[in-house]
Amino acid sequence: MRRINKAIFASATALGLVVVPAAGSALAEPDTSAQRGGDIIQLPVTFEVENVNRSAVQCNTDGETYEVAGHLTAPADAFRGRPRDLTVTMYQHGIAGGEWYWNMDMEGYNHVEEMAERGHISVSIDRIGYDNSGVPNGYDTCIGAQADITNQIVEQLRDGDYELDRSADRGAVPGRRTPEFDKVVLAGQSNGGLIVNIAAISFGNVDGLSVHGWGDLGFTPEADERFIAATGGCLQRMSPAMEDPRPELPEGYNYYDNGTEEFLTGNFADATPEMLEAVTPLQNAHPCNDMSTITSAIYVDLMRMDEIDVPVHVVFGEEDARIQDVQLQADLYSGSPDVRTLVVPDAGHYMGLERNAETVFEDMDAWLTESIG
């Protein structure tokens, strides 16, 4: 595994990609188009949410209102005739990513576009604290709040109570009402997988979970080292007696991976040079309390995952440097009527952006079709 990751870093070095992210680049706007090809629509969406925590994970928030930004991606004919029983999958990213993970502007790697080509509707978002969404103090939100906000978005998707930019829809969304969805599936990558678990445990209100690269158990030593270092950096930023190690970032934010080498080798095992070049400037900082409340969220997850009673899809990369043992995670969903697993050959933590990404798309399509309907 380490030999593969070092090869990734060597490729990045040869391309001149090994740099420290510039100030503010972790919260830069992702390069995503407002409109895709002729058979697909992609429209900006905005959700107004409250940074509150009514989840099973106890942690503090500021209680303020923020906007969560993202995109709705769908087949161009998905809403014609005002069909009933619409299903949408809401995608959220991991600790070091943004919406760009699911909505990468590179042919053959855009997950939500690939799903639309297979007939599925998706909503991909930046969580609060990331890129195009509202940015609270990083000490004033947490995993529990992210789960609560997830449920708020689920409710808005069911009720059609969100803002949809129709300026480029070419009449694909008829009428004045925004689409309402009968079924809502949650998908999360990395700690986004933990968040969708906690949302399902705390609120129910979901019809399926797709968890990519998250495991409550099976962390590698590298993942433990990064967690300790990132948490220590957050504590250092809180102390007035210590020099701020990240003055370029908003208050209460830090990087999980310290620099480009850690970011690339920690997340990729089998990526193209073009992908490494594309993602290098996109590395995101995270709200510090999203990191510091992970352990309490894992405890809740382990104690209550048997309450999740919807179909579950668990996706791991074979060479993931963060997490291993897909069956260990799958077995924790003992209350689910249907648990499907996929191990992506040769792939790392960002398996959806690596050479075998097509395997992820095909398996996600099959699971949504067969288990969600």
Side-chain angles (χ1 to χ4, degrees):
M1 181 185 301
R2 300 307 304 159
R3 184 175 65 255
I4 293 172
N5 284 343
K6 289 299 182 183
I8 288 286
F9 181 59
S11 297
T13 302
L15 288 168
L17 302 179
V18 181
V19 295
V20 176
S25 67
L27 297 177
E29 183 176 352
D31 183 16
T32 54
S33 302
Q35 181 72 41
R36 297 292 180 184
D39 296 328
I40 296 172
I41 58 168
Q42 184 170 101
L43 305 174
V45 292
T46 306
F47 303 91
E48 185 175 285
V49 301
E50 294 181 353
N51 182 29
V52 297
N53 179 24
R54 294 160 292 196
S55 79
V57 179
Q58 296 184 6
C59 49
N60 297 323
T61 69
D62 61 14
E64 298 295 326
T65 299
Y66 295 91
E67 288 189 347
V68 169
H71 292 85
L72 183 151
T73 308
D77 61 355
F79 304 106
R80 290 172 186 161
R82 305 302 293 180
R84 296 183 179 181
D85 299 330
L86 288 171
T87 297
V88 65
T89 303
M90 186 190 113
Y91 291 90
Q92 55 182 290
H93 51 81
I95 195 82
E99 185 202 0
W100 56 262
Y101 177 82
W102 302 107
N103 196 12
M104 174 61 65
D105 191 22
M106 183 177 292
E107 185 176 356
Y109 293 98
N110 187 306
H111 184 99
V112 292
E113 182 178 338
E114 293 288 336
M115 290 299 103
E117 290 179 354
R118 291 162 172 81
H120 304 289
I121 304 170
S122 305
V123 167
S124 49
I125 63 165
D126 286 313
R127 293 200 300 268
I128 63 169
Y130 289 84
D131 289 334
N132 294 312
S133 294
V135 181
N137 186 305
Y139 302 117
D140 290 335
T141 190
C142 58
I143 292 292
Q146 299 286 10
D148 193 302
I149 290 168
T150 297
N151 183 61
Q152 292 175 52
I153 295 173
V154 170
E155 292 177 342
Q156 291 178 37
L157 288 169
R158 292 191 186 280
D159 295 340
D161 186 22
Y162 55 94
E163 182 179 335
L164 177 68
D165 183 349
R166 298 169 178 267
S167 60
D169 76 354
R170 296 171 295 155
V173 186
R176 296 185 178 181
R177 296 178 62 183
T178 53
E180 301 172 5
F181 295 94
D182 180 67
K183 292 182 180 180
V184 181
V185 176
L186 298 181
Q189 195 275 331
S190 194
N191 81 321
L194 175 61
I195 291 167
V196 302
N197 279 351
I198 297 299
I201 289 167
S202 302
F203 306 103
N205 201 26
V206 299
D207 297 284
L209 298 178
S210 186
V211 177
H212 297 229
W214 171 260
D216 295 271
L217 304 170
F219 289 104
T220 65
E222 178 178 299
D224 292 337
E225 292 170 5
R226 302 283 171 86
F227 174 83
I228 292 170
T231 302
C234 283
L235 293 173
Q236 186 175 348
R237 294 205 72 194
M238 291 179 67
S239 173
M242 301 182 72
E243 182 178 355
D244 187 348
R246 295 290 186 186
E248 76 278 9
L249 295 179
E251 185 174 358
Y253 287 76
N254 196 21
Y255 291 109
Y256 180 78
D257 298 300
N258 186 21
T260 301
E261 178 181 1
E262 287 193 2
F263 177 62
L264 294 180
T265 61
N267 288 305
F268 293 95
D270 188 34
T272 65
E274 293 79 11
M275 179 59 70
L276 297 178
E277 182 177 13
V279 302
T280 292
L282 299 179
Q283 179 184 359
N284 287 85
H286 61 266
C288 280
N289 267 8
D290 277 12
M291 176 64 70
S292 65
T293 55
I294 280 179
T295 52
S296 56
I298 289 174
Y299 177 80
V300 171
D301 220 18
L302 291 172
M303 292 298 101
R304 298 183 56 182
M305 280 176 68
D306 60 352
E307 298 175 25
I308 295 174
D309 59 1
V310 296
V312 175
H313 183 221
V314 185
V315 182
F316 273 34
E318 182 182 32
E319 299 294 342
D320 194 333
R322 313 277 204 212
I323 194 79
Q324 285 289 306
D325 199 340
V326 68
Q327 198 58 48
L328 184 64
Q329 182 68 14
D331 289 344
L332 296 174
Y333 296 101
S334 59
S336 169
D338 176 17
V339 181
R340 181 185 183 116
T341 63
L342 170 67
V343 177
V344 183
D346 302 322
H349 196 57
Y350 281 2
M351 71 289 290
L353 300 179
E354 301 193 61
R355 285 185 172 90
N356 281 321
E358 185 77 11
T359 304
V360 179
F361 307 148
E362 291 294 335
D363 204 67
M364 186 76 181
D365 171 37
W367 176 74
L368 286 171
T369 302
E370 298 166 11
S371 297
I372 306 299

